[in-house]
Amino acid sequence: MTDPLLSVRDLRVRFEGESGEVRAVDGVSFDLDAGETLCLVGESGSGKTVTCEALTRLVPADLDGEIRFGGRNLLDCSETELREVRGSSVAHIFQNPQGALDPVYSVGDQLREGVERNRDVTGEEAREVAIDLLDRVGIPEAAARYDDYPHEFSGGMKQRVVIALALSGDPDLLVADEPTTALDVTIQAQILDLLRDLQAERDVGVLFVTHDLGVAAQVADRIVVMYAGKVMERGGVSAIFDSPGHPYTRALMRCLPGVGSALDPIPGDPIDPTDPPEGCRFHPRCTAAVRACESGDQPPLRDADPSDDAGDSGDADHCVSCVFYGPDYDRADLASSVPLAGVQTEGDDD
Ligand code: SF4
């Protein structure tokens, strides 16, 4: 059994906000294999983006835990070592392509600079690699567009350039934070296809952040559902969509357009990150909450089906943080208060 490409254990990220200490990420663990897409999903403020930025210490905060990548704990690396990791082994794709590109340099020059910084090539050879990258991400007439500036590209084309920039270091891990949020549905589908093709071609691992479970259903191999800095549920895409265990996951699914009879928003507001509630962090909004949910720690992540190794969902990694998965409750009781909602995933037949 090979080691995962990325292994995150008990990651905690804290920083000082205007109203006190913010525990943005509080004990998050997951693994990501080469060639796999792992989606972090959840509402705004769930800690998805901070988790991604913490991987290469892009976030100015106190970090604890372990981030194993390339045989070392990135939290123990010096700033010089981290600079080598960023952009080469681990590349980030951010949601705003406009902000990721320098408006005063041509896209070709920006790409060539990335290639020269991360690969052992310079000059004309680096230019050829840059043009090849533009071509690979689907920029028509790539050589002719080399000297164009970012403002001469559409939003979708700019995001393709940003992906080319991320690939300039030939990374092993792509961290894509809501890379299609600013794009219309057609361009979004094209970018998701492009990421899938590039992943298959290069066997990179992709950590994909989205608030949109519909997008996660299209791209994910496995999913981590986050709420208020904690992992609520984790498992393969089929397990999560066919047998969602956590009331929060089920509530997110009912919010999806086309699922159930109508849009069904989650009641209440996300918690104040400077003053998280005792017990399960979701309890103020949970329709299934019982007294035990209001005290102690977040329930541990438990096997979604301990009766066999693979579980009902056929997924041994499927686990849920909810008291109803503990010894004192019957998870079947969840069904009456938190109904399921079906979502079509990429692998499902029509
Ligand atoms: S632990 Fe309680 S509050 Fe949390 S999801 Fe389960 S039932 Fe709801």
Side-chain angles (χ1 to χ4, degrees):
M1 198 165 162
T2 55
D3 288 340
L5 176 67
L6 171 72
S7 182
V8 174
R9 287 290 172 273
D10 200 23
L11 179 65
R12 293 168 196 271
V13 183
R14 294 182 175 84
F15 52 84
E16 282 303 316
E18 287 179 2
S19 325
E21 186 187 68
V22 175
R23 284 186 261 166
V25 177
D26 203 4
V28 165
S29 300
F30 59 83
D31 291 335
L32 169 63
D33 291 328
E36 179 183 54
T37 297
L38 178 74
C39 276
L40 301 182
V41 304
E43 296 167 290
S44 293
S46 59
K48 316 180 295 292
T49 291
V50 177
T51 298
C52 288
E53 293 180 349
L55 295 183
T56 52
R57 303 213 319 247
L58 291 174
V59 61
D62 292 333
L63 304 177
D64 283 315
E66 188 175 71
I67 300 170
R68 294 213 73 80
F69 178 82
R72 57 187 167 176
N73 181 3
L74 296 185
L75 294 186
D76 291 338
C77 288
S78 67
E79 191 53 37
T80 306
E81 290 170 321
L82 274 178
R83 265 200 296 276
E84 285 171 19
V85 170
R86 292 180 198 132
S88 53
S89 308
V90 181
H92 291 258
I93 302 170
F94 298 102
Q95 62 180 277
N96 176 11
Q98 191 70 42
L101 296 170
D102 190 327
V104 301
Y105 289 100
S106 73
V107 297
D109 279 347
Q110 292 182 58
L111 265 174
R112 182 178 49 74
E113 192 184 308
V115 169
E116 289 183 341
R117 192 171 52 241
N118 296 312
R119 304 188 191 198
D120 195 19
V121 291
T122 54
E124 190 56 32
E125 199 180 348
R127 178 188 163 93
E128 290 303 319
V129 174
I131 291 171
D132 182 54
L133 284 169
L134 286 174
D135 187 52
R136 299 279 276 282
V137 299
I139 302 289
E141 301 180 56
R145 302 298 309 266
Y146 182 91
D147 291 317
D148 288 350
Y149 288 84
H151 73 270
E152 296 176 274
F153 287 77
S154 67
M157 287 295 161
K158 271 203 270 285
Q159 192 58 298
R160 286 173 188 266
V161 172
V162 168
I163 293 171
L165 263 178
L167 296 175
S168 65
D170 203 11
D172 300 312
L173 172 62
L174 270 178
V175 181
D177 186 358
E178 304 266 14
T180 59
T181 299
L183 306 174
D184 69 44
V185 178
T186 309
I187 305 299
Q188 173 178 295
Q190 290 173 3
I191 296 292
L192 295 180
D193 283 346
L194 170 63
L195 283 172
R196 256 195 304 266
D197 291 347
L198 291 170
Q199 182 182 36
E201 194 181 304
R202 292 164 173 258
D203 205 31
V204 294
V206 177
L207 183 60
F208 193 104
V209 169
T210 180
H211 66 280
D212 185 338
L213 270 180
V215 168
Q218 291 177 56
V219 301
D221 296 305
R222 291 190 302 118
I223 289 178
V224 172
V225 180
M226 291 185 67
Y227 181 78
K230 298 274 192 189
V231 174
M232 296 288 131
E233 184 162 7
R234 190 180 68 211
V237 66
S238 300
I240 296 288
F241 283 98
D242 295 343
S243 317
H246 199 281
Y248 180 58
T249 312
R250 297 181 183 200
L252 284 176
M253 288 187 185
R254 287 196 305 279
C255 293
L256 280 170
V259 175
S261 55
L263 292 182
D264 189 2
I266 303 172
D269 297 315
I271 64 154
D272 174 355
T274 64
D275 187 23
E278 287 281 298
C280 174
R281 292 204 173 168
F282 188 56
H283 88 253
R285 306 173 74 188
C286 182
T287 54
V290 293
R291 184 64 63 84
C293 306
E294 299 173 8
S295 59
D297 296 327
Q298 180 71 36
L301 282 162
R302 291 192 172 95
D303 192 334
D305 182 11
S307 62
D308 65 54
D309 285 345
D312 278 339
S313 54
D315 181 350
D317 187 43
H318 187 197
C319 51
V320 180
S321 164
C322 174
V323 294
F324 280 92
Y325 284 73
D328 301 328
Y329 294 88
D330 183 350
R331 68 191 65 181
D333 291 342
L334 271 178
S336 54
S337 47
V338 191
L340 289 164
V343 177
Q344 191 85 3
T345 60
E346 187 72 2
D348 289 344
D349 293 332
D350 288 333

